[in-house]
């Protein structure tokens, strides 16, 4: 039978029974036709859970005859027939230790050693070996060694993707193939626009695994190209893309907008791993996307039991970090409390602490669980597992304890022992914007005339550092910052730069909102100086007038 007619007919068949009936009608089959038949059987009979009908396929006499043909005549097969059959049999989960598979792999290795394979053949063999459990690392290296002698410009996108996948295994800890990788990156850059969603995801994942931080142009092009593929990525592919965005520190507004369109429509069909990775991405990039957060909340309320403990944390922590309560907040935190009651012991200690800490940032107090958190047993578990009780962990513990002390006076459980408390919180996200501070400082000098009337970065007994502190006496006069007697009021100026807000937003981050809330409870008058109010002021007199209105709204002409 003419091969083209054969493959046209074969591709119109959608069950193994139809394929076996068709093959039975043929008197003679070339190895290309036979391997094509195996490929088609694997396509229609294998899904994500494996072989649909093992007995109906593996015990069929036509299938067994095909296998016998390949086993007994492996040395007579064309390269295409040999490698296509190997790929199909691996997909059909044929025992790698069987005589059939051993013969095919052995024949392929022999031809590899003799240099008989084209780039297409080498990539097909590499793909098979990556799928085959216990495959030889040395053979993969041998394939890559042959490949690096070839002309990359002539490769198809599929071949380039396969080389990236092989390099993930062979070049991860080695500089041996850096020249090949650099050439591959350069050529890939020229074909980015041709890449499918699958290939885009695989290459981005490979660049992460191979730590290709120097391939800036390629990474940027792939990230931009990925925007149009968002509706078409599988869950795993989207996870790979998001991980690449996070690893390479890339953010693209149109990518966020595409996610905002796609995620709410698809949320209930997404795997929890995909949902949690989207939330983790938003959290790391400080992107407060209400459509995404609202959709994630709705999904968690409906499907919390499908989430692992790590996925629960990745899904919930961004609400606290970015200081956002969705419309369904009451149901969301009721569901979270139920999950914590039933699965508390399943959480890793550092994951659990980060989760509960994020809750207090949005005034959701996990009072029922704090006795366990402050218990010696839990603290010992924290200490025993990396990163142990480092500065961030002890800051979270201390802020939990301070929150319950200030905001939950009814709490009567165990206290956090002083040896686990910090004297100053570590807040890497909310570090001081020194350019903005300099402008405010100069405006205050213009307003108050002397530097002695305000202090910068003042530590408090309550672990917080006040950006700028001004002291007033009972009559409202400004006192020297060093004076401790007759202080009637303390004003805390919070100089909030862009890094203390969600990106492209005026929504203050959770840790900064909590700091300002706690300073008020501790007796400070908190005055917020956000970047978006002061950065447009043209001179120091205008800044001084602005500060006068903010700090002393009921006085006139103070120093101006």
């Amino acid at each position: 039978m003419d091969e083209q007619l054969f493959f046209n007919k074969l591709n119109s068949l959608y069950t193994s029974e139809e394929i076996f009936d068709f093959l039975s009608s043929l008197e003679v089959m070339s190895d290309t036709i036979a391997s094509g038949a195996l490929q088609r059987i694997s396509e229609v009979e294998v899904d994500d859970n494996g072989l649909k009908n093992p007995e109906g396929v593996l015990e069929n006499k036509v299938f067994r005859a095909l296998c016998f043909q390949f086993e007994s005549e492996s040395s007579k097969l064309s390269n295409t027939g040999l490698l296509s059959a190997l790929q199909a049999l691996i997909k059909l989960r044929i025992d790698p230790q069987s005589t059939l598979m051993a013969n095919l792999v052995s024949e392929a290795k022999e031809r590899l050693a003799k240099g008989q394979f084209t780039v297409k053949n080498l990539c097909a063999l590499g793909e098979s070996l990556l799928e085959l459990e216990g495959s030889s690392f040395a053979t993969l290296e041998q394939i890559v060694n042959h490949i690096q002698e070839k002309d990359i410009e002539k490769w198809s996108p599929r071949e380039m993707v396969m080389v990236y996948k092989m390099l993930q295994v062979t070049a991860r800890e080695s500089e041996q193939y850096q020249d090949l990788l650099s050439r591959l990156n350069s050529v890939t850059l020229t074909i980015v626009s041709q890449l499918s969603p699958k290939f885009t995801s695989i290459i981005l994942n490979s660049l992460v695994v191979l730590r290709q931080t120097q391939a800036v142009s390629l990474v940027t092009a792939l990230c931009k190209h990925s925007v149009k593929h968002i509706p078409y990525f599988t869950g795993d592919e989207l996870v790979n893309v998001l991980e690449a965005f996070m690893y390479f520190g890339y953010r693209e507004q149109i990518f966020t907008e595409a996610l905002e369109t796609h995620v709410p429509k698809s949320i209930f069909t997404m795997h929890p791993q995909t949902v949690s990775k989207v939330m983790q991405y938003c959290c790391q990039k400080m992107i407060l996307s209400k459509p995404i957060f609202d959709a994630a909340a709705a999904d968690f309320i409906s499907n919390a039991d499908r989430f692992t403990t790590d996925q629960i944390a990745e899904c919930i922590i961004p609400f606290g970090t970015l200081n956002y309560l969705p419309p369904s907040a009451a149901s969301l935190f009721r569901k979270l409390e139920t999950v914590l009651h039933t699965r508390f012991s399943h959480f890793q200690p550092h994951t659990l602490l980060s989760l509960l800490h994020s809750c207090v940032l949005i005034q959701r107090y996990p009072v029922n669980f704090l006795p366990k958190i402050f218990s010696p047993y839990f603290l010992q578990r924290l200490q025993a597992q990396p990163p142990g009780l480092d500065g961030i962990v002890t800051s979270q513990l201390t802020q939990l304890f301070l929150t319950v002390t200030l905001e939950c006076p009814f709490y009567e459980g165990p206290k956090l022992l002083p040896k686990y408390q910090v004297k100053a919180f570590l807040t890497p996200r909310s570090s001081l914007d020194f350019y903005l501070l300099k402008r405010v400082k100069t405006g205050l000098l213009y307003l108050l005339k002397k530097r002695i009337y305000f202090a910068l970065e003042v530590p408090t007994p309550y672990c917080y550092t006040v950006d700028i502190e001004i002291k007033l006496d009972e009559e409202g006069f400004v006192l020297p910052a060093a004076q401790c007697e007759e202080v009637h009021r303390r004003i805390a100026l919070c100089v909030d730069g862009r890094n203390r807000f969600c990106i492209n937003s005026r929504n203050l981050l959770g840790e900064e909102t909590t700091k300002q809330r706690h300073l008020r409870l501790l007796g400070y008058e908190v005055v917020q100086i956000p970047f978006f109010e002061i950065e447009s002021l043209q001179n120091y007199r205008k800044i001084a007038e602005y500060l006068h209105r903010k700090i002393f709204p009921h006085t006139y002409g103070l120093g101006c």
Side-chain angles (χ1 to χ4, degrees):
M1 187 181 209
D2 177 75
E3 285 191 2
Q4 186 60 52
L5 289 173
F6 170 81
F7 282 108
N8 288 342
K9 174 66 175 176
L10 185 66
N11 290 329
S12 70
L13 306 176
Y14 293 94
T15 67
S16 57
E17 290 86 352
E18 290 177 337
I19 295 170
F20 290 138
D21 286 344
F22 173 48
L23 296 178
S24 299
S25 68
L26 303 178
E27 293 183 8
V28 179
M29 281 187 283
S30 68
D31 65 343
T32 307
I33 284 179
S35 63
L38 287 177
Q39 287 274 13
R40 185 59 182 162
I41 293 166
S42 70
E43 289 169 6
V44 300
E45 287 295 336
V46 177
D47 59 19
D48 292 339
N49 298 316
L51 197 54
K52 299 176 191 174
N53 179 19
E55 188 175 336
V57 174
L58 304 182
E59 299 301 322
N60 183 277
K61 63 180 183 181
V62 177
F63 179 80
R64 293 168 72 88
L66 285 173
C67 291
F68 179 76
Q69 178 181 339
F70 283 107
E71 180 181 331
S72 60
E73 300 180 2
S74 58
S75 62
K76 300 176 183 178
L77 301 173
S78 66
N79 288 343
T80 301
L82 171 68
L83 297 171
S84 296
L86 185 59
Q87 284 181 317
L89 293 168
I90 290 170
K91 194 172 180 182
L92 288 164
R93 311 292 200 273
I94 302 301
D95 181 7
Q97 306 302 319
S98 66
T99 306
L100 167 63
M101 296 297 285
N103 284 1
L104 293 178
V105 172
S106 176
E107 179 64 28
K109 288 181 178 180
E110 191 174 319
R111 297 186 193 187
L112 173 64
K114 293 177 180 177
Q116 296 178 356
F117 286 147
T118 64
V119 170
K120 184 176 181 180
N121 297 151
L122 291 167
C123 289
L125 178 58
E127 185 173 13
S128 296
L129 292 179
L130 289 171
E131 293 290 329
L132 202 59
E133 290 183 12
S135 59
S136 169
F137 178 84
T139 307
L140 283 171
E141 276 197 317
Q142 200 177 350
I143 293 171
V144 176
N145 288 335
H146 281 289
I147 280 175
Q148 67 179 346
E149 298 170 0
K150 307 293 184 180
D151 184 1
I152 296 178
E153 282 77 7
K154 297 178 181 178
W155 297 356
S156 69
R158 178 179 178 81
E159 288 161 359
M160 297 174 80
V161 166
M162 277 314 307
V163 175
Y164 272 114
K165 290 180 75 172
M166 285 187 280
L167 286 171
Q168 281 191 52
V169 176
T170 57
R172 184 179 298 191
E173 305 296 337
S174 170
E175 297 294 318
Q176 181 180 357
Y177 299 110
Q178 191 55 53
D179 177 63
L180 170 61
L181 196 48
S182 297
R183 289 190 291 130
L184 186 59
N185 290 344
S186 297
V187 176
T188 302
L189 181 59
T190 66
I191 62 157
V192 165
S193 62
Q194 303 171 35
L195 296 175
S196 66
K198 180 179 179 179
F199 288 174
T200 302
S201 172
I202 290 172
I203 295 174
L204 277 171
N205 178 245
S206 297
L207 295 174
V208 171
V209 173
L210 295 165
R211 299 191 291 274
Q212 293 296 289
T213 51
Q214 78 283 359
V216 177
S217 298
L218 177 57
V219 169
T220 302
L222 287 167
C223 288
K224 288 183 176 179
H225 180 64
S226 68
V227 173
K228 71 177 186 180
H229 289 322
I230 283 180
Y232 312 107
F233 284 128
T234 66
D236 288 342
E237 289 166 0
L238 182 56
V239 166
N240 283 343
V241 172
L242 291 168
E243 286 179 340
F245 269 64
M246 290 189 282
Y247 179 81
F248 291 112
Y250 190 80
R251 186 183 67 243
E252 182 78 49
Q253 180 61 28
I254 56 172
F255 183 84
T256 302
E257 291 168 1
L259 280 178
E260 287 181 334
T261 301
H262 173 66
V263 171
K265 292 190 297 187
S266 311
I267 193 78
F268 292 110
T269 59
M270 282 183 168
H271 190 278
Q273 173 65 10
T274 311
V275 177
S276 61
K277 191 60 67 176
V278 170
M279 293 297 286
Q280 187 185 8
Y281 167 76
C282 289
C283 190
Q284 188 194 91
K285 301 297 181 185
M286 298 198 297
I287 299 168
L288 176 55
S289 167
K290 293 182 181 180
I292 291 174
F293 278 49
D294 292 349
D299 184 48
F300 183 79
I301 291 165
S302 301
N303 300 306
D305 293 341
R306 296 174 56 216
F307 286 70
T308 66
T309 52
D310 284 346
Q311 290 165 356
I312 291 169
E314 289 169 355
C315 192
I316 300 298
I317 286 173
F319 288 96
T321 303
L322 303 189
N323 184 30
Y324 177 66
L325 284 172
S328 60
S331 299
L332 175 65
F333 287 94
R334 267 198 308 272
K335 174 62 75 172
L336 178 61
E337 185 170 13
T338 301
V339 169
L340 286 171
H341 275 299
T342 56
R343 300 168 67 182
F344 188 90
S345 62
H346 299 169
F347 282 84
Q348 291 297 311
H350 290 90
T351 303
L352 184 61
L353 175 61
S354 296
L355 175 59
L356 298 183
H357 174 258
S358 72
C359 292
V360 302
L361 300 181
I362 40 177
Q363 296 178 275
R364 292 299 183 269
Y365 310 110
V367 177
N368 294 333
F369 305 102
L370 291 183
K372 293 182 179 179
I373 297 297
F374 297 147
S375 71
Y377 170 70
F378 185 82
L379 295 169
Q380 286 168 8
R381 288 184 65 205
L382 277 176
Q383 193 161 15
Q385 297 182 17
L389 291 170
D390 66 6
I392 292 176
V393 172
T394 48
S395 289
Q396 289 177 329
L397 283 168
T398 306
Q399 194 164 41
L400 265 177
F401 180 60
L402 181 60
T403 299
V404 78
T405 303
L406 293 175
E407 301 185 60
C408 306
F410 52 86
Y411 174 73
E412 297 179 348
K415 311 297 184 187
L416 182 66
L417 295 176
K419 68 177 181 178
Y420 296 112
Q421 298 180 32
V422 296
K423 294 183 179 179
F425 289 131
L426 281 180
T427 53
R429 285 183 185 269
S430 299
S431 57
L432 197 52
D433 182 332
F434 287 101
Y435 173 74
L436 190 62
L437 179 68
K438 182 180 178 181
R439 300 196 79 201
V440 175
K441 175 183 170 182
T442 308
L444 282 173
L445 279 171
Y446 196 101
L447 176 66
L448 301 178
K449 303 305 181 187
K450 290 186 179 180
R451 176 67 180 79
I452 63 169
Y453 290 119
F454 60 92
L456 304 179
E457 297 187 83
V458 181
T460 70
Y462 313 104
C463 310
Y464 292 112
T465 298
V466 175
D467 297 337
I468 300 176
E469 183 182 58
I470 298 174
K471 298 175 181 177
L472 306 180
D473 66 13
E474 191 170 358
E475 295 181 6
F477 289 105
V478 179
L479 298 171
Q483 183 170 326
C484 298
E485 299 82 20
E486 300 179 359
V487 178
H488 186 67
R489 294 162 57 197
R490 293 176 185 267
I491 298 176
L493 270 61
C494 293
V495 183
D496 294 331
R498 292 178 184 274
N499 61 316
R500 293 183 178 179
F501 293 85
C502 301
I503 200 76
N504 299 327
S505 166
R506 295 185 177 183
N507 195 76
L508 204 59
L509 295 176
E511 60 188 21
E512 191 61 26
T513 302
T514 302
K515 171 185 173 179
Q516 295 182 18
R517 188 170 75 244
H518 285 177
L519 287 175
R520 289 189 181 94
L521 291 171
L522 292 165
Y524 286 88
E525 294 178 30
V526 175
V527 176
Q528 187 186 10
I529 311 294
F531 74 92
F532 51 81
E533 290 182 356
I534 201 171
E535 65 181 2
S536 62
L537 301 179
Q538 301 300 316
N539 56 56
Y540 292 121
R541 178 175 180 84
K542 289 186 180 298
I543 293 174
E545 290 171 352
Y546 163 81
L547 292 171
H548 182 197
R549 291 193 301 273
K550 293 283 287 195
I551 304 169
F552 308 107
H554 305 300
T555 60
Y556 299 93
L558 183 65
C560 285

